[in-house]
């Protein structure tokens, strides 16, 4: 199953948990619990009047009969709303911590990339290997350093929320992690744009070759040309054409993944910009901007993994 292959991956578990986390936040934001209670539990309000009267043990009327004291009774429907909202808030909070726990020690991945990059630099005779040629090597070095710092900050926040470190650590490292994530979004976007351009060039060249072979195949099928063309050459062209069709389909899937990645990075940019630039306070934005962008990024990331694992 595709879902099983996704859940095997740490990134897959993170994306699924993120979808659940922001689905719970969206349910809270849209007051879905209140609407469900109002729709399915109106009988609670009818069955439980808001006022009840009970005889007072101390106060009595002039004739000596006990006075009836009006007392407010709790509203079961309101209690159900508060209870379910509290559960959803805890669920969203626990999903957030679970995501951070899943990504603990994720800094090992960019550390390994940095190690491989430094080995290539050490094997090069030039001491300025990172600055020679294109800027890809230098940008890759910066990406590794930003990734290590970002993952380390996320780990410290996770340890703080788990109680291993004090709450001051989470408060101090959260803006640092937000700014590092903001920088990594631009690095990832540059890589996606570059790889998508390469894939498009390959697809254009491949389509040109496919057009040539299709013309040869059509010529081989005609009665006059079939005698002139060599049978082995026609068979080779047919096999090559079949392979090119497979490569074309793979390139089209890659381009689709690149487009999904760009859309996800755009949602990440919207989400992260609100925290980095404190737009909620400056522009009086509602929480819905981050909830919708976070859920959209989670769904796009899950869709990308689904295509890769399918």
């Amino acid at each position: 199953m595709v879902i099983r292959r996704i859940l095997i991956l740490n990134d897959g578990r993170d994306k699924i948990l993120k979808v659940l986390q922001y689905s719970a936040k969206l349910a809270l934001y849209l007051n879905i619990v209140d609407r469900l209670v109002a729709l399915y539990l109106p009988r609670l309000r009818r069955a439980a009047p808001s006022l009840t009267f009970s005889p007072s043990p101390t106060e009595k009327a002039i004739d000596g009969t006990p006075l009836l004291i009006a007392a407010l009774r709790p509203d079961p429907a309101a209690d159900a709303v508060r209870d379910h909202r509290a559960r959803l808030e805890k669920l969203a909070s626990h999903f957030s911590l679970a995501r951070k726990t899943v990504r603990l020690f994720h800094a090992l991945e960019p550390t390994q990339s940095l190690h491989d990059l430094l080995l290539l630099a050490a094997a090069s005779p030039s001491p300025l290997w990172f600055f020679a040629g294109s800027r890809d090597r230098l940008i890759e070095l910066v990406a590794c350093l930003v990734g290590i710092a970002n993952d380390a900050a996320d780990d410290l926040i996770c340890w703080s929320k788990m109680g291993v470190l004090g709450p001051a650590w989470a408060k101090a490292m959260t803006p640092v992690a937000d700014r590092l994530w903001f920088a990594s979004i631009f690095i990832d976007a540059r890589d996606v744009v570059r790889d998508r351009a390469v894939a498009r060039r390959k697809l254009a060249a491949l389509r040109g070759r496919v057009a040539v072979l299709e013309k040869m195949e059509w010529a081989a099928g005609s009665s006059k040309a079939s005698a002139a063309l060599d049978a082995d050459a026609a068979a080779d062209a047919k096999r090559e054409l079949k392979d090119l069709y497979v490569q074309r389909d793979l390139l089209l899937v890659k381009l689709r993944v690149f487009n999904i990645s760009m859309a996800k990075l755009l949602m990440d940019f919207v989400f992260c910009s609100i925290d980095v630039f404190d737009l909620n306070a400056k522009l009086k934005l509602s929480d819905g901007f981050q909830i919708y962008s976070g859920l959209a990024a989670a769904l796009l990331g899950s869709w990308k993994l689904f295509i890769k694992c399918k």
Side-chain angles (χ1 to χ4, degrees):
M1 293 177 63
V2 179
I3 297 298
R4 177 182 173 275
R5 289 197 288 270
I6 292 175
L7 291 175
I8 290 175
L9 305 172
N10 275 345
D11 194 35
R13 287 194 292 269
D14 174 57
K15 293 298 182 292
I16 298 300
L17 289 172
K18 188 175 181 179
V19 170
L20 297 175
Q21 175 193 355
Y22 282 95
S23 297
K25 287 189 174 185
L26 184 62
L28 287 168
Y29 179 72
L30 297 178
N31 296 321
I32 292 178
V33 173
D34 307 50
R35 298 179 184 183
L36 290 176
V37 169
L39 182 62
Y40 293 106
L41 300 177
R43 63 182 182 275
L44 291 177
R45 297 186 184 275
R46 295 195 299 266
S50 59
L51 289 176
T52 58
F53 295 89
S54 58
S56 173
T58 56
E59 300 183 17
K60 295 183 179 181
I62 298 176
D63 58 357
T65 58
L67 288 176
L68 295 179
I69 306 299
L72 287 174
R73 292 185 58 186
D75 186 354
D79 289 344
V81 170
R82 285 193 295 269
D83 180 58
H84 285 85
R85 285 187 67 87
R87 291 184 182 183
L88 274 178
E89 289 172 357
K90 288 183 179 179
L91 188 67
S93 176
H94 290 326
F95 277 141
S96 176
L97 182 58
R99 288 181 55 219
K100 293 184 182 298
T101 306
V102 166
R103 293 183 63 84
L104 273 175
F105 308 112
H106 189 265
L108 293 175
E109 182 177 332
T111 301
Q112 179 64 47
S113 299
L114 178 62
H115 176 263
D116 296 339
L117 197 62
L118 293 176
L119 286 180
L120 290 175
S124 173
S126 174
L128 300 177
W129 181 77
F130 285 108
F131 303 95
S134 66
R135 292 173 293 180
D136 291 343
R137 298 169 183 172
L138 185 60
I139 293 176
E140 188 176 355
L141 175 64
V142 173
C144 292
L145 296 176
V146 171
I148 293 171
N150 191 12
D151 291 334
D154 286 337
D155 286 356
L156 290 174
I157 294 171
C158 181
W159 291 121
S160 176
K161 291 189 174 183
M162 291 172 64
V164 178
L165 300 175
W169 281 92
K171 185 177 180 180
M173 297 308 299
T174 296
V176 176
D178 290 340
R179 283 158 176 77
L180 289 170
W181 182 29
F182 190 73
S184 68
I185 290 173
F186 288 95
I187 296 174
D188 293 341
R190 182 217 176 243
D191 292 341
V192 171
V193 170
R194 179 197 59 192
D195 295 340
R196 185 172 60 178
V198 172
R200 282 180 172 177
R201 288 194 295 269
K202 288 183 179 179
L203 183 62
L206 188 144
R207 282 175 171 169
R209 179 60 179 165
V210 166
V212 172
L213 291 176
E214 285 178 344
K215 288 181 180 179
M216 290 176 60
E217 189 178 21
W218 176 84
S222 63
S223 58
K224 294 181 180 179
S226 57
L229 288 175
D230 182 64
D232 293 336
D236 292 339
K238 193 170 184 179
R239 282 193 298 268
E240 184 182 357
L241 188 61
K242 187 177 180 181
D243 293 338
L244 289 177
Y245 283 150
V246 174
Q247 295 178 27
R248 183 190 61 185
D249 293 341
L250 290 176
L251 282 174
L252 289 173
V253 171
K254 281 186 177 182
L255 285 173
R256 188 190 310 166
V257 170
F258 290 146
N259 292 332
I260 296 172
S261 298
M262 284 301 298
K264 177 190 175 297
L265 289 171
L266 178 60
M267 293 298 103
D268 287 339
F269 173 78
V270 172
F271 184 95
C272 194
S273 297
I274 295 174
D275 286 332
V276 171
F277 300 108
D278 196 17
L279 298 182
N280 279 334
K282 294 178 180 178
L283 301 180
K284 306 298 181 182
L285 298 179
S286 67
D287 294 336
F289 283 92
Q290 280 195 312
I291 292 173
Y292 282 115
S293 59
L295 181 59
L299 291 173
L300 289 168
S302 301
W303 185 17
K304 184 173 73 171
L305 281 176
F306 180 83
I307 293 174
K308 289 182 176 180
C309 296
K310 187 170 62 173

